[in-house]
């Protein structure tokens, strides 16, 4: 694995949107822990059943389940060229585990772009988000409409509203982010890896700023 990037930011900041664009431009896989959990929910696997208990409440899935799942994904052959992580790590324990996993494989994180967006905008973004069933591509009622109503432009699958994008769950997810994930800002700043980007800008402008941070 050569180029490893971690996209950090609150729920709704635009991590998934940007990760899809940048991974394509850079030719590295986009690894979203949330998408892996949702695939498992759809396929009704044991992992999915376990994860649902936490996801529907806006809580984090325990580290003991999440770390192994992401390490398995990072061990796949397509990650030899690197990876763009979205939504992982989300706790200091996950961040530590990631550093150790990469070190064991003779690697390290190259940069941590931090997409920052104020809380009031996050609520509007998440309540207007529509997600594709097949691969998790994201759209927005106002900011990113699909060409054909309710259909994903990229794979033709149907769009749905995520269960955890309901207002009460969104508020809980933002609280969990502040308490459990925001400490990673200082963690990565200390190592000189953190690069903050204003995520309130339009999608294309955020991409331009991120492309200056990632080296590809
Ligand atoms: P995250 O992965 O960080 O939770 P998403 O990428 O799913 O966030 O984006 C959340 C919602 O906001 C989606 O509906 C997406 O279309 C929309 N969105 C993403 N980036 C922007 C932006 N820069 N401006 C306006 N809306 C955006
Ligand atoms: P996301 O798709 O990134 O918004 O994640 C959706 C949900 O999946 C989160 O609210 C958590 O319940 C769970 N999840 C995703 N990634 C992680 C992670 N790194 N650690 C724990 N839970 C996670």
């Amino acid at each position: 694995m050569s180029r490893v990037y971690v996209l950090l930011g609150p729920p709704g900041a635009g991590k998934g949107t940007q990760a899809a664009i940048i991974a394509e431009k850079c030719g590295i896989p986009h690894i979203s822990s949330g998408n892996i959990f949702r695939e498992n929910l759809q396929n009704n696997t044991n992992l999915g059943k376990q994860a649902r208990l936490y996801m529907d409440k806006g809580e984090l899935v325990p580290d003991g389940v999440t770390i192994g799942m992401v390490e398995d994904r990072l061990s796949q052959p397509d990650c030899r060229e690197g990876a763009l992580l979205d939504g992982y790590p989300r706790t200091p324990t996950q961040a530590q585990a990631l550093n150790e996993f990469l070190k064991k494989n003779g690697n390290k994180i190259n940069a941590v772009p931090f997409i920052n967006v104020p809380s009031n905008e996050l609520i509007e973004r998440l309540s207007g988000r529509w997600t594709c069933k097949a691969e998790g591509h994201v759209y927005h009622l106002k900011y990113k409409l699909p060409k054909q109503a309710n259909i994903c432009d990229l794979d033709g699958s149907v769009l749905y509203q995520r269960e955890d994008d309901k207002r009460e769950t969104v508020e809980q997810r933002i609280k969990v982010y502040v308490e459990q994930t925001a400490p990673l800002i200082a963690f990565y700043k200390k190592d000189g890896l953190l690069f903050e980007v204003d995520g309130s800008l339009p999608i294309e402008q955020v991409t331009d700023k991120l492309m200056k941070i990632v080296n590809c």
Side-chain angles (χ1 to χ4, degrees):
M1 229 192 283
S2 47
R3 294 161 297 157
V4 181
Y5 302 102
V6 168
L7 273 191
L8 196 62
K15 300 181 301 296
T17 301
Q18 297 297 335
I21 301 170
I22 292 168
E24 164 114 41
K25 283 183 190 283
C26 295
I28 52 176
H30 165 198
I31 296 179
S32 154
S33 41
N35 282 353
I36 305 177
F37 282 131
R38 279 183 291 281
E39 264 169 46
N40 277 278
L41 293 187
Q42 281 181 21
N43 296 332
N44 213 18
T45 66
N46 282 337
L47 178 67
K49 284 181 201 149
Q50 245 179 308
R52 184 187 295 280
L53 303 173
Y54 302 92
M55 292 172 80
D56 284 351
K57 289 190 289 192
E59 301 290 343
L60 294 184
V61 180
D63 289 336
V65 176
T66 308
I67 293 171
M69 176 187 84
V70 176
E71 289 186 356
D72 280 352
R73 179 65 189 90
L74 287 172
S75 305
Q76 301 297 311
D78 63 331
C79 293
R80 269 190 221 124
E81 294 303 311
L84 177 56
L85 286 160
D86 151 21
Y88 184 90
R90 251 170 156 110
T91 64
T93 306
Q94 292 178 15
Q96 202 61 52
L98 178 63
N99 280 351
E100 281 159 24
F101 174 83
L102 294 173
K103 193 169 171 196
K104 212 169 60 195
N105 291 288
N107 219 314
K108 60 181 173 43
I109 297 171
N110 291 61
V112 179
F114 166 42
I115 309 180
N116 203 4
V117 174
S119 299
N120 57 327
E121 275 182 57
L122 298 175
I123 294 171
E124 199 210 349
R125 285 192 185 184
L126 294 175
S127 51
R129 170 162 70 183
W130 285 79
T131 302
C132 106
K133 264 248 150 30
E135 291 191 45
H137 302 119
V138 287
Y139 296 85
H140 192 278
L141 279 181
K142 202 156 124 192
Y143 304 117
K144 193 174 183 275
L145 284 164
K147 294 194 183 94
Q148 197 186 334
N150 298 323
I151 302 291
C152 178
D153 295 349
L154 300 172
D155 57 35
S157 75
V158 71
L159 305 182
Y160 74 106
Q161 238 181 337
R162 275 170 50 175
E163 195 53 38
D164 60 350
D165 280 346
K166 285 189 303 207
R167 188 170 180 122
E168 322 78 81
T169 322
V170 163
E171 283 170 359
Q172 176 60 16
R173 285 162 64 204
I174 294 172
K175 185 164 169 272
V176 165
Y177 166 79
V178 170
E179 290 171 0
Q180 302 191 50
T181 308
L184 299 187
I185 298 167
F187 179 90
Y188 288 122
K189 207 180 250 175
K190 172 176 71 38
D191 290 340
L193 291 170
L194 196 89
F195 297 87
E196 184 165 344
V197 168
D198 178 3
S200 306
L201 296 168
I203 293 175
E204 300 72 27
Q205 288 185 35
V206 178
T207 307
D208 290 345
K209 289 188 184 291
L210 290 171
M211 286 304 290
K212 295 199 173 96
I213 299 168
V214 303
N215 217 345
C216 65

